Amino acid sequence: MVSRLEGIDYKTNSPIHVYMENGMITDIQAIPDMQLDSLPILAPGLIDLQINGYKGFDFNTLPFSADSVIQVTRALWEEGVTTYFPTLITNCDDSIEQAIQTIIKACEKDRLTDSTIGGIHMEGPFISPEDGPRGAHNEKFIKAPDWSLLKKWQKIAKGRIKILTLSPEWEGAIAFIEKCSKNDVLVSIGHTAATNEQIRAAVKAGARMSTHLGNGAHLLLPRHPNYLWEQLANDHLWACLIADGFHLPLSFLKVAMKAKGTKTILVSDAVDLSGLDPGEYRTHIGGDVILTAEGKLHLKKNPELLAGSVQMLKHGITHLVNNQIADLSEAWEMASSRPAALIQLATKNGLVKGAPADLVLFKLKEKNIRIIETYKSGRRVYPCKAQ
């Protein structure tokens, strides 16, 4: 059955009809003589390559159930997210295995969850053990890249580990990266204290992305050379940025976008407190933390030390737009078609005929994005009474 959506094209600012059938966009037609202010904006669904948890649920706090993963997936539709990558951080091997198993169970149990989870992002344990680059990762579980271990995890994941964040400073890292690249695992440089030479070698071996560039780093760095400049300068690396207004200053966002151009991507890197009310919480990593009304999550003892990100992709988009760093269409593509292009998802061409009907209708209200409807494979998943 053919269904139709009506809205303002996020890119051309023109009113359009989008026709959908069998989960795909079958046609896009202009609407003549339509009042723009009566229509929502129509855009491709958002894609989050790095999300640790949402609304009190944490992919890294075990045990958790397949039903919890399904509930998180449905909650993310409310945020306009139609594809996401559950992110597992450094932990003991058994805990990582258990988390992978549960995510895969959720995918096997629920078809829409299966189609919404684009893959698993492994952020560690093959990262730098140094204070600063290590971030909040537990030093006890950090180790050198281990191909046999990754193969074991990938078997449990049934091939769905798609992104691996590591530091190329380890002995054997380059050969490991080459194997990942040949086996459909995108390697991202992050939580690193690597030298410029090690970063260049990693890129030559197949590394293609920088994980939350500008964060997970030493507090003090040499003016030059340093690993931030090296990653910014490398034309082969895509850069993921957290644009929540707290993790990176506007100047860094602006420079990174100029350096990377269309290879700039937004991620939320959201933790489990995202989507909860402001207040005081206790977490398994940061201890006592404060979530402010402005959306800043910091340690209770030191407001200057962040305890993670709680802002979703739509906030990152408006942060760039409201500060005139990007227009709406560019900022939206940084969180939709660009990550799709990097991962080679079928939605990489965005809002075009023949693309999957992963779509969002939204309105801008007081400089914020309000999601009206979300469609996954042509099916309205938010709002949805069946939820």
Side-chain angles (χ1 to χ4, degrees):
M1 184 178 70
V2 178
S3 56
R4 187 184 75 178
L5 296 180
E6 190 174 83
I8 301 169
D9 188 321
Y10 80 106
K11 201 164 186 177
T12 66
N13 203 37
S14 301
I16 57 172
H17 281 141
V18 173
Y19 294 86
M20 306 177 294
E21 186 176 11
N22 297 324
M24 306 296 288
I25 298 173
T26 56
D27 197 13
I28 299 177
Q29 296 180 1
I31 306 174
D33 305 321
M34 173 67 73
Q35 291 288 336
L36 293 183
D37 57 4
S38 66
L39 292 175
I41 300 170
L42 206 163
L46 299 175
I47 298 172
D48 200 336
L49 299 183
Q50 188 174 7
I51 181 163
N52 307 282
Y54 186 59
K55 284 197 171 179
F57 171 79
D58 185 358
F59 290 111
N60 297 282
T61 300
L62 287 97
F64 60 87
S65 67
D67 286 338
S68 297
V69 178
I70 294 169
Q71 290 169 11
V72 167
T73 302
R74 280 152 172 67
L76 289 173
W77 291 334
E78 301 176 28
E79 299 292 332
V81 175
T82 53
T83 301
Y84 75 102
F85 288 68
T87 302
L88 305 181
I89 68 169
T90 301
N91 209 332
C92 70
D93 295 355
D94 289 344
S95 293
I96 289 174
E97 288 180 19
Q98 186 178 341
I100 293 171
Q101 287 171 341
T102 306
I103 292 168
I104 298 305
K105 284 180 183 177
C107 292
E108 293 173 343
K109 184 175 182 179
D110 183 71
R111 183 179 59 84
L112 280 172
T113 295
D114 183 43
S115 63
T116 303
I117 292 179
I120 295 172
H121 181 165
M122 301 291 302
E123 188 185 355
F126 315 131
I127 60 171
S128 174
E130 291 190 25
D131 288 344
R134 178 169 51 83
H137 289 238
N138 192 329
E139 185 178 5
K140 179 171 63 173
F141 301 122
I142 291 173
K143 63 186 74 177
D146 184 332
W147 180 246
S148 63
L149 182 59
L150 181 61
K151 281 205 305 181
K152 180 182 179 183
W153 288 340
Q154 188 68 293
K155 184 177 180 180
I156 296 169
K158 300 185 178 180
R160 298 198 67 167
I161 296 174
K162 295 297 182 182
I163 305 174
L164 176 66
T165 292
L166 58 70
S167 173
E169 68 194 76
W170 293 97
E171 183 179 351
I174 303 308
F176 180 87
I177 293 170
E178 290 174 345
K179 290 178 180 177
C180 287
S181 300
K182 292 175 182 177
N183 287 274
D184 195 30
V185 177
L186 185 149
V187 173
S188 185
I189 298 172
H191 290 281
T192 184
T195 65
N196 288 9
E197 292 74 21
Q198 289 168 335
I199 290 172
R200 287 194 289 268
V203 174
K204 187 176 180 180
R208 298 177 57 206
M209 190 173 88
S210 297
T211 296
H212 50 51
L213 188 60
N215 296 114
H218 293 98
L219 292 178
L220 295 175
L221 286 171
R223 283 182 304 164
H224 43 72
N226 66 56
Y227 47 76
L228 295 184
W229 284 118
E230 187 63 32
Q231 291 178 80
L232 281 170
N234 196 301
D235 294 334
H236 297 288
L237 286 175
W238 295 61
C240 291
L241 305 172
I242 304 172
D244 64 349
F246 305 106
H247 277 76
L248 294 171
L250 294 174
S251 58
F252 188 93
L253 290 169
K254 200 169 186 177
V255 168
M257 289 173 63
K258 286 185 176 181
K260 293 298 178 180
T262 56
K263 290 185 176 180
T264 315
I265 293 172
L266 294 182
V267 292
S268 71
D269 197 18
V271 298
D272 60 318
L273 298 183
S274 178
L276 299 186
D277 293 332
E280 182 176 331
Y281 295 90
R282 185 165 186 80
T283 66
H284 68 289
I285 293 179
D288 293 327
V289 298
I290 302 292
L291 174 56
T292 71
E294 295 74 29
K296 179 180 180 180
L297 182 66
H298 63 79
L299 298 183
K300 181 179 180 180
K301 291 182 178 180
N302 187 347
E304 298 304 312
L305 292 180
L306 298 177
S309 170
V310 297
Q311 301 288 8
M312 302 307 292
L313 286 177
K314 67 181 186 181
H315 177 87
I317 292 168
T318 55
H319 182 63
L320 297 182
V321 173
N322 293 341
N323 286 284
Q324 301 180 326
I325 295 177
D327 60 25
L328 178 62
S329 64
E330 180 185 14
W332 193 275
E333 289 182 348
M334 288 169 65
S336 58
S337 57
R338 289 188 191 176
L342 172 61
I343 303 295
Q344 286 299 296
L345 299 177
T347 53
K348 62 183 179 180
N349 294 320
L351 188 60
V352 295
K353 181 180 177 180
D358 290 3
L359 302 169
V360 173
L361 291 165
F362 68 95
K363 287 194 173 184
L364 288 172
K365 187 175 182 180
E366 297 177 353
K367 296 186 176 182
N368 291 311
I369 291 171
R370 182 168 66 89
I371 304 297
I372 307 297
E373 292 181 341
T374 302
Y375 289 79
K376 180 65 187 179
S377 301
R379 173 179 170 179
R380 192 179 75 173
V381 291
Y382 172 75
C384 179
K385 292 180 180 179
Q387 294 180 36

